[in-house]
Amino acid sequence: MSLESRKNAIEDPGAELLDRATGLWEQYGRFIMGAVVGIAVVGIAGYYMIAGNARKENTASEKLAEANDLFWRADYDRSRQIAQDVSRQYAGTPSGIDALRISGDDAYWRGNWKDAIADYNSYLKKNSSGVLAATVRRSLAYALESDGQFAEAASTFERIVGEFDRESSGEFLFAAARCHMALKQPAEAKKLWQRILDEFPDSSFQLQARVELGKLSPVLVN
């Protein structure tokens, strides 16, 4: 290389970097472009998926609002039919899940205990925590008791003690004791009545608990 050529090379330090960059692009450019295109495709697909889910939820919530309105008008049969349709057609949406709760409430107020139990259990499989789930468990417990499933009802009542206010806790313990008495398990009932006196003495159920303990004591002594 001539002196002049070497001089030009020194005066253009970016030339070598440009040559290297060009070489790297020629070698790896198509892979980079493929990755960029792939990311773009995933992003677009994600956008349409989110938008599609939002549309489904909007449609489901509108239909469920109708079912809810019919429930409060005591039109339980029509309300349950719509709620069941929503739960089937929009199973993956929040409203599709909540439709199971409304369907269960419709069955409950019609006295269809087994249908109510089935709907409540389906709901709880998809949403097992939070205040709304606890509310469904309360309804489930009363449906189980009404259906004569006393052991399961007692267990469910005890599970929701402490989930609401103190008055409700006294109510649930008293209901669980009632289920144990139906199962002819007075010793278990006594423990629950005593819990009302020890843990929730401010509950209105403490007076009933005292009465029941008074009735039971002679039986236990003998």
Side-chain angles (χ1 to χ4, degrees):
M1 179 182 291
S2 67
L3 180 61
E4 184 65 27
S5 298
R6 289 198 298 273
K7 182 179 179 182
N8 291 337
I10 292 172
E11 291 176 352
D12 189 10
E16 185 176 353
L17 290 175
L18 181 60
D19 290 341
R20 288 181 181 178
T22 301
L24 288 171
W25 177 257
E26 291 175 351
Q27 185 175 0
Y28 300 109
R30 59 184 177 180
F31 297 109
I32 295 172
M33 284 299 296
V36 171
V37 171
I39 292 171
V41 169
V42 170
I44 292 171
Y47 168 79
Y48 281 110
M49 182 178 295
I50 293 172
N53 289 340
R55 285 194 296 271
K56 286 183 180 178
E57 170 58 20
N58 287 338
T59 302
S61 64
E62 289 175 3
K63 292 185 176 181
L64 192 60
E66 181 183 358
N68 189 58
D69 181 62
L70 290 169
F71 170 80
W72 289 108
R73 294 183 184 184
D75 193 346
Y76 303 125
D77 292 333
R78 288 176 61 201
S79 174
R80 188 163 192 266
Q81 183 59 59
I82 294 173
Q84 288 183 319
D85 289 343
V86 172
S87 70
R88 284 192 297 266
Q89 295 173 16
Y90 306 96
T93 66
S95 292
I97 296 172
D98 199 41
L100 293 167
R101 175 185 63 84
I102 292 180
S103 178
D105 288 345
D106 287 318
Y108 183 97
W109 286 100
R110 289 286 287 167
N112 298 329
W113 312 123
K114 293 188 184 302
D115 288 340
I117 291 167
D119 288 337
Y120 290 146
N121 279 325
S122 294
Y123 174 89
L124 291 169
K125 286 180 181 178
K126 298 184 178 183
N127 181 32
S128 59
S129 61
V131 175
L132 197 54
T135 301
V136 171
R137 281 196 182 90
R138 177 174 60 187
S139 298
L140 173 61
Y142 279 111
L144 287 165
E145 182 183 11
S146 297
D147 195 50
Q149 300 183 48
F150 300 115
E152 188 67 23
S155 176
T156 306
F157 277 124
E158 290 184 60
R159 181 173 178 176
I160 54 177
V161 171
E163 292 287 345
F164 302 97
D165 54 79
R166 295 177 61 80
E167 178 69 13
S168 295
S169 292
E171 172 192 343
F172 300 148
L173 287 172
F174 195 85
R178 185 171 61 239
C179 291
H180 281 295
M181 289 299 290
L183 292 167
K184 301 187 185 305
Q185 297 173 341
E188 294 301 319
K190 181 185 177 184
K191 293 177 185 178
L192 296 172
W193 288 325
Q194 190 61 50
R195 277 190 64 188
I196 295 174
L197 301 183
D198 294 340
E199 299 176 28
F200 305 100
D202 52 335
S203 164
S204 65
F205 289 87
Q206 61 86 19
L207 179 58
Q208 298 179 62
R210 290 182 187 279
V211 171
E212 295 301 329
L213 282 169
K215 293 178 182 178
L216 198 58
S217 293
V219 175
L220 294 179
V221 170
N222 294 331

